[in-house]
């Protein structure tokens, strides 16, 4: 075998030094590739975008619950301070939905990353489903009650996006939404019941650097 290789090298008159260099290059490449795949397997691996979206959703949900339960509900129960949509004028606490929107605006400042709440029956006009993905995902979560995830291109940039159903977990959700003057004016026929999907929590992970 070695003899045949040497005969071939001689036949094509390849300088032995060049052959040695080529062999060295190939071996180093194999070493680099095998080491990096080993590293990936041992903890340096990349997370799939749907796993990242799920983790971000967990943070969003827990922050919202903590604010609602330990700040808004507690201060209301102790008759200290209430939450109101016009919190600046009323010197009250922002509603959980407003707290959520303000945090999401801050988080997406100067960054293509974004998250937020959307609904086809939105109280805030900015929260309507806009892109192809958002409309398709909203139809899907209203039908199945399950999250919807996919890749999308928005304003020329690629994203992995996920929409999680936001359900009316208590009577407070539906009382406020159904009774809201904007809701009554824009969607008079839509009456939410406890357990209904009111809208969705949207997460957009930018894929381009
Ligand atoms: C006291 C009133 C009130 C309560 C209670 C309330 N919301 Fe809202 N919700 C709002 C307002 C006001 C907005 C618009 C906030 C904004 O973006 O400025 C909103 C926004 C939303 C949105 C985004 C779409 C939209 O309407 O603009 C979703 C989804 C939503 N709420 C779901 C819920 C759920 C689920 C609950 C119960 C866990 C709930 N809300 C409880 C007042 C309320």
């Amino acid at each position: 075998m070695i003899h045949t290789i040497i005969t071939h090298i001689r036949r094509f008159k390849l300088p032995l030094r060049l052959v040695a260099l080529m062999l060295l290059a190939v071996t180093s490449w194999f070493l680099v590739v095998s080491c990096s795949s080993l590293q990936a397997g041992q903890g340096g691996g990349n997370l799939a975008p749907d796993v990242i979206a799920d983790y971000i959703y967990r943070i969003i949900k827990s922050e919202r619950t903590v604010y609602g339960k330990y700040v808004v509900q507690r201060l209301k129960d102790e008759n200290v301070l209430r939450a109101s949509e016009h919190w600046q004028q009323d010197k009250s606490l922002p509603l959980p939905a407003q707290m959520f929107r303000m945090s999401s605006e801050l988080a997406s400042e100067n960054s293509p990353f974004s998250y937020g709440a959307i609904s086809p029956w939105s109280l805030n006009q900015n929260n309507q489903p806009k892109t192809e993905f958002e409309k398709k995902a909203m139809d899907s979560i209203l039908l199945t009650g399950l999250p919807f995830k996919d890749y999308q291109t928005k304003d020329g940039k690629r994203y992995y996006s996920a929409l999680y159903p936001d359900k009316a977990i208590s009577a407070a959700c539906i009382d406020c939404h159904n009774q809201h003057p904007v809701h009554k004016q824009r969607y008079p026929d839509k009456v939410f019941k406890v357990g209904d999907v009111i809208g969705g929590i949207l997460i957009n992970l930018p894929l381009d650097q």
Side-chain angles (χ1 to χ4, degrees):
M1 158 96 171
I2 294 180
H3 182 75
T4 350
I5 296 174
I6 291 175
T7 334
H8 270 82
I9 292 171
R10 285 210 179 118
R11 189 177 329 145
F12 291 106
K13 298 205 171 64
L14 284 173
L16 268 178
R17 228 187 268 173
L18 180 67
V19 174
L21 259 176
M22 277 160 65
L23 272 176
L24 194 72
V26 172
T27 335
S28 327
W29 183 79
F30 268 116
L31 257 176
V32 168
V33 169
S34 48
C35 280
S36 51
S37 55
L38 194 73
Q39 233 184 13
Q42 284 181 353
N46 297 326
L47 286 177
D50 66 319
V51 177
I52 302 175
D54 284 354
Y55 285 150
I56 295 174
Y57 176 64
R58 285 174 81 95
I59 301 175
I60 291 173
K61 229 173 67 163
S62 57
E63 296 270 298
R64 224 163 62 139
T65 308
V66 168
Y67 180 67
K69 199 166 161 188
Y70 298 110
V71 180
V72 174
Q73 196 58 48
R74 187 177 140 254
L75 295 187
K76 186 181 161 203
D77 290 348
E78 291 179 13
N79 268 324
V80 179
L81 200 58
R82 283 175 174 270
S84 131
E85 193 172 340
H86 309 288
W87 53 277
Q88 277 151 316
Q89 297 93 307
D90 300 350
K91 297 204 183 326
S92 50
L93 296 167
L95 297 175
Q98 293 174 306
M99 186 77 169
F100 176 71
R101 180 177 45 79
M102 289 188 283
S103 319
S104 74
E105 282 168 358
L106 202 60
S108 57
E109 238 176 41
N110 304 321
S111 166
F113 166 74
S114 66
Y115 69 87
I118 57 170
S119 168
W121 307 282
S122 71
L123 298 177
N124 182 335
Q125 189 59 32
N126 293 332
N127 299 338
Q128 280 286 317
K130 293 181 198 86
T131 67
E132 254 336 280
F133 167 86
E134 288 168 11
K135 289 175 189 160
K136 198 169 136 197
M138 185 57 76
D139 287 347
S140 168
I141 65 164
L142 287 172
L143 200 70
T144 64
L146 297 169
F148 184 94
K149 304 166 183 176
D150 206 351
Y151 292 89
Q152 69 164 326
T153 302
K154 195 160 65 103
D155 305 325
K157 291 198 172 77
R158 283 187 329 121
Y159 292 87
Y160 182 83
S161 300
L163 189 70
Y164 300 84
D166 199 20
K167 291 187 182 154
I169 44 166
S170 69
C173 309
I174 58 163
D175 288 347
C176 188
H177 276 256
N178 287 338
Q179 297 306 319
H180 199 285
V182 171
H183 183 94
K184 283 182 151 175
Q185 191 208 339
R186 286 194 206 145
Y187 329 103
D189 300 334
K190 182 70 190 173
V191 182
F192 291 119
K193 296 184 298 303
V194 172
D196 280 355
V197 174
I198 290 192
I201 305 293
L202 174 73
I203 298 173
N204 292 314
L205 300 176
L207 298 174
D208 302 324
Q209 288 302 308

